[in-house]
Amino acid sequence: MKVTVRFFARFGELLGNNREIEAREGISVADLVKEAASGNKAGYDTIFDEEGAFRDFVIVMRNKKRIRTQDAGSIQVGEGDEIAVFPPVAGG
Amino acid sequence: MLFGEEGQEQLQDATIFIAGAGGLGSPVSIYLAVLGVGTLIIADNDRVDQTNLNRQILYRDQDIGRRKAAVAGERLQEVNPDIMVKAVDATIDQHTVSSLTRDADGIVDALDDFPTRYLLNKAALEKEIPLFHGGISGFFGQATTILPGKTPCLRCIIPRPPPAEVFPVAGVTAGFIGLIQATEVCKYLLCRGDLLAGRLLLWDGMQGRIEEIPVETDPDCEACAGKYKGRS
Ligand SMILES: [Zn+2]
């Protein structure tokens, strides 16, 4: 099934902003983002910690609705979904 | 006059607290001063450094080494002698935040760290005044307007502090996001238009794209959970 993963800001610079992905049925949001990020270690490491969990400041949206990153491992991706991943920034 | 006599009076009667006189605080304060916001309170505890000058447009080469609050106060008063400028050389912390925001009708978040932003968020919730949030890094930024009791609070939207920025901020990004914040203040004080309320604006200067995402109240929010139960 076709899904879109969108990386914002610094994540997008490292991983590409828009990624059309042919995903397998039943894949979780967390695994989808991991696969999409796997090509670039720096990008992967800014999103995921050493245990492979989302870093706690990362915001993940599924079809414009926020999902808790703790739940992303158990939420399945559906056909045509858009998953957006972005880092809030702290500077001023 | 763009806002009419009544609008200009509404601006004249307002007091806005600007937390930070750096990259965001510079454009926000300059534009609110020329707009004619009657009282501007701006706080910063830092000195002007040469490395600030590429984005902190309140300061000039000759100001290097001086206290930011002192310079900001002078400059804003030069920009508009008809307003009251209170530039405070102070650290914003849990002890000072309530006195700094006491008279404010709104708080502009022009800080560069989230723990202090959460203090502003708490003050805004307690006083039930808006918090105009902005954050920047490199060519990226975000902004939203928090209306206590009506929108999610800053902690609902960004519950965990992002790491301190290691990337330098482009001056144009500070200008861009700062002017969004100043525009929000202007609209709020004049009761016009649609505020960025319940929406988080994301700016990607490298791609030249603005996105916005809807934000929701977090029932488990550390800052506001329970506070507005049954009200919004
Ligand atoms: Zn909240």
Side-chain angles (χ1 to χ4, degrees):
Chain A
M1 60 182 177
K2 274 201 168 41
V3 296
T4 306
V5 180
R6 304 185 61 205
F7 293 109
F8 286 81
R10 178 99 185 115
F11 295 167
E13 280 193 321
L14 292 165
L15 297 164
N17 289 93
N18 276 309
R19 306 273 298 275
E20 298 271 333
I21 290 176
E22 189 60 45
R24 62 174 186 275
E25 297 290 332
I27 191 171
S28 70
V29 171
D31 286 341
L32 177 74
V33 176
K34 273 181 199 170
E35 283 183 17
S38 61
N40 180 300
K41 186 168 183 334
Y44 185 93
D45 289 345
T46 44
I47 298 176
F48 297 101
D49 67 16
E50 298 72 25
E51 272 91 57
F54 280 101
R55 294 190 183 277
D56 63 1
F57 66 92
V58 175
I59 293 178
V60 179
M61 317 269 299
R62 178 183 180 221
N63 300 330
K64 305 259 177 205
K65 206 159 158 52
R66 175 106 162 240
I67 57 174
R68 286 155 36 109
T69 49
Q70 307 94 290
D71 302 337
S74 53
I75 295 173
Q76 283 189 9
V77 179
E79 167 87 44
D81 275 4
E82 180 189 290
I83 308 296
V85 188
F86 87 90
V89 288
Chain B
M1 275 195 295
L2 178 58
F3 309 123
E5 216 162 287
E6 192 192 318
Q8 215 59 50
E9 270 172 32
Q10 285 170 308
L11 296 172
Q12 175 64 39
D13 290 342
T15 298
I16 294 293
F17 174 59
I18 302 165
L24 291 172
S26 289
V28 169
S29 63
I30 290 168
Y31 274 90
L32 292 185
V34 296
L35 188 65
V37 173
T39 305
L40 290 181
I41 305 168
I42 185 163
D44 205 294
N45 67 349
D46 207 358
R47 271 177 205 283
V48 180
D49 186 86
Q50 178 149 32
T51 59
N52 301 150
L53 300 184
N54 62 358
R55 64 193 185 283
Q56 302 187 11
I57 58 171
L58 276 168
Y59 315 114
R60 300 171 189 164
D61 203 61
Q62 71 226 41
D63 301 320
I64 290 169
R66 293 186 64 203
R67 306 295 301 174
K68 285 186 180 176
V71 183
E74 287 169 19
R75 197 111 321 137
L76 294 169
Q77 205 67 81
E78 280 166 25
V79 162
N80 190 345
D82 297 326
I83 61 167
M84 167 100 80
V85 179
K86 296 181 190 169
V88 189
D89 198 329
T91 305
I92 301 165
D93 59 27
Q94 55 183 350
H95 305 294
T96 59
V97 70
S98 70
S99 65
L100 286 168
T101 56
R102 184 174 299 133
D103 300 323
D105 300 308
I107 302 173
V108 178
D109 163 9
L111 296 171
D112 61 3
D113 77 283
F114 264 85
T116 315
R117 281 186 169 101
Y118 291 148
L119 291 177
L120 294 183
N121 181 55
K122 190 160 169 276
L125 291 172
E126 282 168 6
K127 293 175 57 66
E128 304 192 339
I129 57 173
L131 173 65
F132 304 95
H133 164 71
I136 48 178
S137 170
F139 283 86
F140 309 114
Q142 80 238 351
T144 189
T145 295
I146 288 143
L147 302 173
K150 295 194 179 129
T151 67
C153 82
L154 184 62
R155 197 127 205 190
C156 292
I157 302 170
I158 304 173
R160 296 282 168 263
E165 291 306 332
V166 289
F167 300 100
V169 167
V172 286
T173 310
F176 189 90
I177 295 294
L179 290 202
I180 288 171
Q181 293 175 283
T183 305
E184 290 293 291
V185 173
C186 177
K187 291 188 299 182
Y188 173 77
L189 294 176
L190 296 169
C191 305
R192 293 194 190 184
D194 282 324
L195 293 168
L196 264 179
R199 301 181 282 145
L200 180 65
L201 180 145
L202 304 175
W203 166 238
D204 182 334
M206 274 297 156
Q207 301 273 311
R209 272 186 226 282
I210 294 179
E211 309 258 349
E212 66 170 64
I213 60 172
V215 289
E216 286 173 19
T217 301
D218 175 0
D220 301 322
C221 174
E222 283 179 39
C224 76
K227 184 160 168 63
Y228 293 104
K229 228 170 229 167
R231 270 189 50 185
S232 53

